[in-house]
Amino acid sequence: MFYQEELETMPREEIEKLQLDRVKNLVHYVYERIPLYKERFDEAGVSPDDLQTLDDLRKFPFTVKQDLRDSYPFGMFAVPIDEVARIHCSSGTTGTASVVGYTEHDLDEWGDCFARFVRAADCGPGSVMQVAYGYGLFTGGLGAHEGGQHAGCAMVPTSTGNTKRQVRLLRDFKVEVLACTPSYALVIADTAKAMGIDKSELHLKAAILGAEPCSEGMRKEIEQKLDCQVYDIYGLSEVMGPGVSCECGEQHGLHVNEDKFIIEIVDPETFEPLPDGQWGEVVFTTLTKECSPLVRYRTRDISRIIPGTCPCGRTGRRMDRIAGRTDDMLIIRGVNVFPVQFAQVISEFPEVTSYYQIILTLKGPLDHVELHVETVMDFPFDEIRRLQDLKKRIEAALKENLQVAVDVKIVEPMTIERSEGKAKRIIDLRGEANA
Ligand code: DLL
């Protein structure tokens, strides 16, 4: 099902023509309205008039998170405050937050972006949609809410928390579409089971999950436990919020809303653009945003463009699921690994749950990595031999798949912290040892 079929299935040449028209306007718009861009373009020796083809965008400098922080709070707003309808902040836990503003028009476009994927999940008028992302400065709650509303759903704004009530409402309201983080979806599924509510009592068709990585194993587990299809949705506050891209029913890559964003993949070290198919850092340029437009924003997320077209008919190119963030990458004895790769390995072991934590410490000059995994309820935790055997097998699988030596610690069921929002997977204690 489409929401804006003409835009979603627009032939490539037309999308590119639309992008070119819009990006030409954008570079003039930001040059005239945002001092930082004027300064940066002048420094780089480029003028808005230098943008004549889409490839010319490469001549323009990148924007990074620090630019937003340095402009705190409203230095990068392109409109006066009386035109701002809403303000969100990034979820960053350290440093100054980056502040993002939206005009009424920006909010409307955001709702459209998300609504396309509610419809892609075959939900719309007649569907009840429960939003268990946090409502507030985080863009998940209100972003999904507006998206569902645009798609015509009856909205249930539960926000996070009170998980038993979430489960009861899912059942009683015959909710068809759930929006939350993958880790919270799992908590909801496990809570339903603990409450004795069988998945057959729920009416879920779709779960639109994002804001954090979800391994294929975790997706399957959620689909199986909630008996619905899981759609991976991506976005980030700086660029808009959820709905920059999302999967369709094919579950093979996330269609970028290319009428509203230009995606580039660049080499994370040289920042040179990479061809389709190659993994690198994702960079976005916003094409229609009025309040907080961005030129070539470096996201630090790692993905690639999946070559080829999608059988669903959507022509927006697909980005692959996020493999990690450049700042999340662990270098373990010289080998680069992303936390989500651990998740993929442990999902092969039915004896353990999807909850895990990576503890980083220093042993002398070297990084030491401990992976905590939790056994499922019916695993005989008292049988030392079985525990040791399991530990050995997981360690061997990690060694084989990721080429890294990891110390696996198996912990009792329900001891790893549950998350209602983004799960905290990495505990880095290396700084503390130095302090
Ligand atoms: O997490 C927006 C969002 C809300 C997206 C709800 C999807 C659903 P931030 O808090 O600014 O915004 O965090 C953005 O989260 O750069 C990625 O590293 C990560 N992220 C978001 N979606 C995904 C995803 C929201 N589907 C940062 N898979 C991004 C993996 C994701 N990582």
Side-chain angles (χ1 to χ4, degrees):
M1 224 197 293
F2 291 100
Y3 174 69
Q4 292 168 316
E5 186 164 357
E6 209 176 303
L7 289 169
E8 292 171 70
T9 61
M10 195 179 250
R12 260 322 311 149
E13 319 78 72
E14 279 179 45
I15 297 186
E16 287 177 10
K17 191 175 166 302
L18 182 68
Q19 286 188 326
L20 181 59
D21 287 347
R22 289 184 165 172
V23 75
K24 274 186 183 173
N25 283 336
L26 170 85
V27 285
H28 282 279
Y29 184 82
V30 298
Y31 189 79
E32 281 150 26
R33 290 176 178 240
I34 305 176
L36 178 123
Y37 278 118
K38 179 171 186 324
E39 222 171 85
R40 286 289 163 78
F41 290 7
D42 289 349
E43 258 170 36
V46 281
S47 132
D49 290 326
D50 293 336
L51 202 152
Q52 294 304 325
T53 67
L54 282 179
D55 281 347
D56 288 339
L57 183 59
R58 297 176 183 181
K59 298 178 185 158
F60 286 77
F62 293 103
T63 314
V64 292
K65 195 174 179 83
Q66 194 59 40
D67 295 328
L68 287 154
R69 290 191 169 143
D70 292 345
S71 314
Y72 181 87
F74 302 151
M76 285 184 74
F77 282 14
V79 297
I81 198 73
D82 60 352
E83 289 176 35
V84 179
R86 200 195 295 158
I87 298 169
H88 281 280
C89 288
S90 76
S91 57
T93 44
T94 51
T96 322
S98 27
V99 181
V100 187
Y102 304 78
T103 62
E104 276 299 343
H105 181 257
D106 291 336
L107 292 176
D108 199 37
E109 295 255 305
W110 182 11
D112 285 347
C113 283
F114 199 116
R116 291 177 184 178
F117 302 112
V118 177
R119 291 281 175 85
D122 266 341
C123 295
S127 308
V128 180
M129 175 165 167
Q130 185 162 323
V131 180
Y133 285 116
Y135 281 64
L137 289 174
F138 173 56
T139 52
L142 284 162
H145 187 101
E146 201 129 354
Q149 211 161 331
H150 276 228
C153 299
M155 303 307 298
V156 186
T158 45
S159 194
T160 53
N162 205 338
T163 310
K164 285 187 177 161
R165 188 180 62 184
Q166 303 267 8
V167 172
R168 278 194 298 273
L169 297 185
L170 280 180
R171 181 193 58 193
D172 300 345
F173 292 0
K174 298 190 171 45
V175 172
E176 283 187 4
V177 49
L178 170 68
C180 62
T181 61
S183 28
Y184 196 41
L186 210 50
V187 172
I188 291 177
D190 290 342
T191 305
K193 187 162 184 234
M195 290 163 73
I197 294 180
D198 187 72
K199 60 184 176 186
S200 62
E201 294 176 61
L202 305 180
H203 295 77
L204 275 177
K205 270 166 65 173
I208 305 184
L209 312 181
E212 62 176 5
C214 175
S215 68
E216 194 50 34
M218 189 165 170
R219 183 220 292 269
K220 294 237 167 71
E221 184 176 347
I222 298 167
E223 289 188 330
Q224 191 269 327
K225 286 182 167 169
L226 288 176
D227 194 18
C228 68
Q229 186 162 355
V230 167
Y231 298 81
D232 187 1
I233 191 161
Y234 168 85
L236 60 167
S237 343
E238 291 83 357
V239 173
M240 181 179 74
V244 173
S245 66
C246 185
E247 285 179 334
C248 62
E250 301 293 323
Q251 293 180 314
H252 182 52
L254 295 84
H255 289 278
V256 178
N257 278 315
E258 285 192 281
D259 54 327
K260 309 212 194 292
F261 307 99
I262 290 180
I263 179 171
E264 295 174 82
I265 305 287
V266 302
D267 182 305
E269 271 152 32
T270 64
F271 307 120
E272 286 303 316
L274 293 172
D276 286 3
Q278 284 196 30
W279 292 88
E281 182 172 347
V282 183
V283 171
F284 284 110
T285 298
T286 65
L287 295 175
T288 58
K289 280 177 71 183
E290 293 177 337
C291 182
S292 297
L294 289 171
V295 176
R296 307 193 80 202
Y297 182 72
R298 279 183 40 210
T299 62
R300 296 182 172 231
D301 290 320
I302 304 288
S303 182
R304 63 173 190 136
I305 302 286
I306 298 179
T309 52
C310 184
C312 78
R314 286 175 186 78
T315 46
R317 284 181 306 161
R318 293 161 298 166
M319 52 188 268
D320 215 322
R321 297 163 88 182
I322 302 295
R325 289 179 55 80
T326 52
D327 42 7
D328 255 9
M329 191 175 74
L330 307 171
I331 305 179
I332 306 175
R333 315 256 157 104
V335 182
N336 301 351
V337 277
F338 290 108
V340 68
Q341 292 177 278
F342 287 84
Q344 273 148 11
V345 172
I346 64 171
S347 70
E348 302 294 321
F349 290 83
E351 299 93 332
V352 297
T353 67
S354 301
Y355 300 98
Y356 68 94
Q357 254 174 351
I358 297 164
I359 321 285
L360 299 175
T361 50
L362 279 177
K363 261 202 181 158
L366 293 177
D367 286 344
H368 180 74
V369 186
E370 214 172 82
L371 174 69
H372 289 194
V373 289
E374 188 184 276
T375 55
V376 292
M377 279 293 185
D378 52 11
F379 185 86
F381 201 82
D382 305 337
E383 291 182 30
I384 304 287
R385 270 237 176 105
R386 301 239 344 230
L387 276 182
Q388 278 174 344
D389 169 65
L390 180 61
K391 170 180 159 77
K392 273 203 194 126
R393 284 188 292 120
I394 299 178
E395 285 177 349
L398 288 167
K399 181 91 197 148
E400 191 185 325
N401 288 288
L402 313 182
Q403 276 79 50
V404 291
V406 176
D407 186 7
V408 170
K409 192 156 179 242
I410 298 177
V411 299
E412 288 190 58
M414 305 303 288
T415 48
I416 292 177
E417 193 190 337
R418 292 334 189 218
S419 168
E420 294 172 355
K422 301 185 192 229
K424 188 163 169 50
R425 305 283 192 202
I426 303 179
I427 301 185
D428 191 346
L429 303 173
R430 288 174 300 182
E432 290 179 20
N434 289 332

Coordinates of all heavy atoms in Angstrom, one line a residue, residues 8-50:
E8 N 6.6 8.1 -4.3 CA 7.3 6.9 -3.9 C 7.8 6.1 -5.0 O 8.7 5.3 -4.9 CB 6.4 6.1 -2.9 CG 6.2 6.8 -1.6 CD 5.1 6.1 -0.7 OE1 5.4 5.0 -0.2 OE2 4.0 6.6 -0.6
T9 N 7.1 6.2 -6.2 CA 7.5 5.4 -7.3 C 8.0 6.2 -8.5 O 8.0 5.7 -9.6 CB 6.3 4.5 -7.8 OG1 5.2 5.4 -8.2 CG2 5.7 3.6 -6.7
M10 N 8.4 7.4 -8.2 CA 8.8 8.3 -9.3 C 10.0 7.7 -10.0 O 11.0 7.3 -9.4 CB 9.2 9.6 -8.5 CG 9.4 10.8 -9.4 SD 9.9 12.2 -8.4 CE 8.4 13.2 -8.5
P11 N 10.0 7.8 -11.3 CA 11.2 7.3 -12.0 C 12.5 8.0 -11.6 O 12.5 9.2 -11.3 CB 10.9 7.6 -13.5 CG 9.4 7.8 -13.6 CD 9.0 8.3 -12.2
R12 N 13.6 7.3 -11.7 CA 14.9 7.8 -11.2 C 15.2 9.2 -11.8 O 15.6 10.1 -11.1 CB 16.0 6.9 -11.7 CG 16.7 6.0 -10.9 CD 17.0 6.0 -9.5 NE 17.7 7.1 -8.9 CZ 17.6 7.4 -7.6 NH1 16.7 6.8 -6.9 NH2 18.2 8.4 -7.1
E13 N 15.1 9.4 -13.1 CA 15.4 10.7 -13.7 C 14.6 11.8 -13.1 O 15.1 12.9 -12.9 CB 15.2 10.7 -15.3 CG 15.5 9.5 -16.1 CD 14.5 8.4 -15.9 OE1 13.4 8.6 -16.5 OE2 14.8 7.4 -15.3
E14 N 13.4 11.5 -12.8 CA 12.5 12.5 -12.3 C 12.9 12.9 -10.8 O 12.9 14.0 -10.4 CB 11.0 12.1 -12.3 CG 10.4 12.4 -13.6 CD 9.0 11.9 -13.7 OE1 8.2 12.3 -12.7 OE2 8.6 11.2 -14.6
I15 N 13.2 11.8 -10.1 CA 13.7 12.1 -8.7 C 14.9 12.9 -8.7 O 15.1 13.9 -8.0 CB 14.1 10.8 -7.9 CG1 12.9 9.8 -7.7 CG2 14.7 11.1 -6.6 CD1 13.1 8.6 -6.9
E16 N 15.9 12.6 -9.6 CA 17.1 13.3 -9.7 C 16.9 14.8 -10.1 O 17.6 15.7 -9.6 CB 18.1 12.6 -10.5 CG 18.6 11.4 -9.8 CD 19.6 10.5 -10.6 OE1 20.1 10.9 -11.6 OE2 19.9 9.4 -10.1
K17 N 15.9 15.0 -11.0 CA 15.6 16.3 -11.5 C 15.1 17.1 -10.3 O 15.5 18.3 -10.0 CB 14.6 16.3 -12.6 CG 14.5 17.6 -13.3 CD 13.6 17.5 -14.5 CE 13.2 18.9 -15.0 NZ 12.5 19.7 -14.0
L18 N 14.2 16.5 -9.5 CA 13.6 17.1 -8.4 C 14.6 17.5 -7.3 O 14.7 18.6 -6.8 CB 12.5 16.2 -7.8 CG 11.7 16.7 -6.6 CD1 10.8 17.8 -7.0 CD2 10.9 15.6 -6.0
Q19 N 15.5 16.5 -7.1 CA 16.6 16.7 -6.2 C 17.5 17.9 -6.6 O 17.8 18.7 -5.7 CB 17.5 15.5 -6.1 CG 16.9 14.3 -5.3 CD 17.8 13.2 -5.1 OE1 18.7 12.9 -5.9 NE2 17.7 12.5 -4.0
L20 N 17.8 18.0 -7.9 CA 18.7 19.0 -8.3 C 18.0 20.4 -8.1 O 18.6 21.3 -7.6 CB 19.0 18.8 -9.8 CG 20.0 19.9 -10.4 CD1 21.3 19.9 -9.6 CD2 20.3 19.6 -11.9
D21 N 16.7 20.5 -8.5 CA 16.0 21.8 -8.3 C 16.0 22.2 -6.8 O 16.3 23.3 -6.5 CB 14.5 21.6 -8.7 CG 14.3 21.6 -10.2 OD1 15.3 21.9 -10.9 OD2 13.2 21.2 -10.6
R22 N 15.8 21.2 -6.0 CA 15.7 21.5 -4.6 C 17.0 21.8 -3.9 O 17.1 22.7 -3.1 CB 15.0 20.3 -3.8 CG 13.5 20.2 -4.2 CD 12.8 19.1 -3.4 NE 11.4 19.3 -3.6 CZ 10.4 18.5 -3.2 NH1 10.8 17.3 -2.6 NH2 9.2 18.8 -3.3
V23 N 18.0 21.1 -4.4 CA 19.4 21.3 -3.7 C 19.9 22.6 -4.2 O 20.7 23.3 -3.4 CB 20.3 20.1 -3.9 CG1 20.9 20.0 -5.3 CG2 21.4 20.1 -2.9
K24 N 19.6 23.0 -5.4 CA 20.1 24.4 -5.9 C 19.5 25.5 -5.0 O 20.2 26.4 -4.5 CB 19.6 24.6 -7.3 CG 20.5 24.1 -8.4 CD 19.9 24.5 -9.7 CE 20.7 24.0 -10.9 NZ 20.0 24.3 -12.1
N25 N 18.2 25.3 -4.7 CA 17.5 26.3 -3.8 C 18.1 26.2 -2.4 O 18.4 27.2 -1.8 CB 16.0 25.9 -3.6 CG 15.2 26.4 -4.8 OD1 15.7 27.3 -5.5 ND2 14.1 25.8 -5.0
L26 N 18.4 25.0 -1.9 CA 18.9 24.8 -0.6 C 20.2 25.6 -0.4 O 20.4 26.2 0.7 CB 19.1 23.3 -0.3 CG 19.9 23.0 1.0 CD1 18.9 23.0 2.2 CD2 20.6 21.7 1.0
V27 N 21.2 25.4 -1.3 CA 22.5 26.0 -1.0 C 22.4 27.6 -1.0 O 23.1 28.2 -0.2 CB 23.6 25.5 -2.0 CG1 24.0 24.1 -1.7 CG2 23.2 25.6 -3.5
H28 N 21.5 28.1 -1.8 CA 21.2 29.6 -1.7 C 20.6 29.9 -0.4 O 21.0 30.8 0.3 CB 20.3 30.0 -2.8 CG 21.1 30.2 -4.2 ND1 21.8 31.2 -4.5 CD2 21.2 29.3 -5.2 CE1 22.4 31.1 -5.7 NE2 22.0 29.9 -6.1
Y29 N 19.6 29.1 0.0 CA 18.8 29.3 1.2 C 19.7 29.4 2.4 O 19.7 30.3 3.3 CB 17.8 28.2 1.3 CG 16.8 28.3 2.4 CD1 15.6 29.1 2.4 CD2 17.0 27.5 3.6 CE1 14.7 29.1 3.4 CE2 16.0 27.5 4.6 CZ 14.9 28.3 4.5 OH 14.0 28.3 5.5
V30 N 20.6 28.3 2.6 CA 21.4 28.3 3.8 C 22.5 29.3 3.8 O 22.9 29.9 4.8 CB 22.1 26.9 4.0 CG1 21.0 25.8 4.2 CG2 23.0 26.5 2.9
Y31 N 23.0 29.7 2.6 CA 24.0 30.7 2.4 C 23.5 32.0 2.9 O 24.2 32.8 3.6 CB 24.5 30.8 1.0 CG 25.7 31.6 0.7 CD1 27.0 31.1 1.0 CD2 25.6 32.9 0.2 CE1 28.1 31.9 0.8 CE2 26.7 33.7 0.0 CZ 28.0 33.2 0.3 OH 29.1 34.0 0.1
E32 N 22.3 32.3 2.5 CA 21.7 33.6 2.9 C 21.2 33.6 4.4 O 21.2 34.7 5.0 CB 20.5 33.9 2.0 CG 20.9 34.4 0.6 CD 20.0 34.0 -0.5 OE1 18.8 33.9 -0.2 OE2 20.4 33.9 -1.6
R33 N 20.8 32.5 4.9 CA 20.2 32.5 6.2 C 21.0 32.0 7.4 O 20.6 32.3 8.5 CB 18.9 31.7 6.1 CG 17.8 32.4 5.3 CD 16.6 31.5 5.1 NE 15.6 32.1 4.4 CZ 14.4 32.4 4.8 NH1 14.0 32.1 6.0 NH2 13.5 33.0 4.0
I34 N 22.0 31.2 7.1 CA 22.7 30.7 8.3 C 24.2 31.1 8.2 O 24.9 30.6 7.3 CB 22.6 29.1 8.3 CG1 21.1 28.7 8.3 CG2 23.3 28.5 9.5 CD1 20.9 27.2 8.2
P35 N 24.7 31.9 9.1 CA 26.0 32.5 9.0 C 27.1 31.4 8.9 O 28.1 31.5 8.1 CB 26.2 33.3 10.3 CG 24.8 33.6 10.7 CD 23.9 32.5 10.3
L36 N 26.9 30.3 9.6 CA 27.9 29.2 9.6 C 28.1 28.7 8.1 O 29.3 28.5 7.7 CB 27.5 28.0 10.5 CG 28.5 26.9 10.4 CD1 28.9 26.5 11.8 CD2 27.8 25.6 9.8
Y37 N 27.0 28.6 7.4 CA 27.2 28.1 6.0 C 27.8 29.1 5.1 O 28.7 28.8 4.3 CB 25.8 27.7 5.4 CG 25.4 26.3 5.9 CD1 24.3 26.0 6.7 CD2 26.3 25.2 5.5 CE1 24.0 24.7 7.1 CE2 26.0 23.9 5.9 CZ 24.8 23.6 6.7 OH 24.6 22.4 7.1
K38 N 27.5 30.4 5.3 CA 28.2 31.4 4.5 C 29.7 31.4 4.7 O 30.5 31.3 3.8 CB 27.6 32.8 4.9 CG 28.3 33.9 4.1 CD 27.6 35.3 4.2 CE 28.2 36.3 3.3 NZ 29.6 36.2 3.0
E39 N 30.0 31.3 6.0 CA 31.5 31.2 6.4 C 32.1 30.0 5.8 O 33.2 30.1 5.1 CB 31.5 31.1 7.9 CG 32.5 31.9 8.6 CD 32.3 31.7 10.1 OE1 32.8 30.7 10.7 OE2 31.5 32.6 10.7
R40 N 31.5 28.9 5.9 CA 32.1 27.6 5.4 C 32.2 27.6 3.9 O 33.2 27.2 3.3 CB 31.2 26.4 5.8 CG 31.3 26.0 7.2 CD 32.6 25.4 7.6 NE 32.8 25.4 9.0 CZ 32.2 24.5 9.8 NH1 31.5 23.6 9.3 NH2 32.4 24.6 11.1
F41 N 31.2 28.1 3.2 CA 31.2 28.1 1.7 C 32.3 29.0 1.3 O 33.1 28.7 0.4 CB 29.9 28.5 1.1 CG 28.7 27.5 1.3 CD1 28.9 26.3 2.0 CD2 27.5 27.7 0.6 CE1 27.8 25.5 2.2 CE2 26.5 26.8 0.7 CZ 26.6 25.7 1.6
D42 N 32.4 30.2 1.9 CA 33.4 31.2 1.5 C 34.8 30.6 1.8 O 35.7 30.7 0.9 CB 33.3 32.5 2.3 CG 32.0 33.2 1.9 OD1 31.4 32.9 0.9 OD2 31.6 34.2 2.6
E43 N 35.0 30.0 2.9 CA 36.3 29.4 3.3 C 36.7 28.3 2.2 O 37.8 28.2 1.9 CB 36.2 28.6 4.6 CG 36.7 29.3 5.8 CD 36.3 28.6 7.1 OE1 36.2 27.3 7.1 OE2 36.0 29.3 8.0
A44 N 35.7 27.5 1.8 CA 36.0 26.4 0.9 C 36.1 27.0 -0.6 O 36.4 26.2 -1.5 CB 34.9 25.4 1.0
G45 N 35.8 28.2 -0.7 CA 35.8 28.8 -2.1 C 34.7 28.4 -3.0 O 34.9 28.3 -4.2
V46 N 33.6 28.0 -2.4 CA 32.4 27.6 -3.3 C 31.3 28.6 -3.1 O 31.1 29.1 -2.0 CB 31.9 26.2 -3.0 CG1 32.7 25.1 -3.6 CG2 31.6 26.0 -1.6
S47 N 30.6 28.8 -4.2 CA 29.4 29.7 -4.1 C 28.2 28.9 -4.5 O 28.3 27.9 -5.2 CB 29.7 30.9 -5.1 OG 28.5 31.1 -5.9
P48 N 27.1 29.3 -4.0 CA 25.8 28.6 -4.3 C 25.6 28.4 -5.8 O 25.1 27.4 -6.2 CB 24.7 29.4 -3.7 CG 25.4 30.2 -2.6 CD 26.8 30.4 -3.0
D49 N 26.1 29.3 -6.6 CA 26.0 29.2 -8.0 C 26.8 28.1 -8.6 O 26.6 27.7 -9.8 CB 26.3 30.6 -8.7 CG 25.3 31.6 -8.4 OD1 24.1 31.2 -8.2 OD2 25.7 32.8 -8.2
D50 N 27.8 27.6 -7.9 CA 28.6 26.5 -8.4 C 27.9 25.2 -8.5 O 28.4 24.2 -9.0 CB 29.9 26.3 -7.5 CG 30.8 27.5 -7.6 OD1 30.7 28.2 -8.6 OD2 31.6 27.7 -6.6

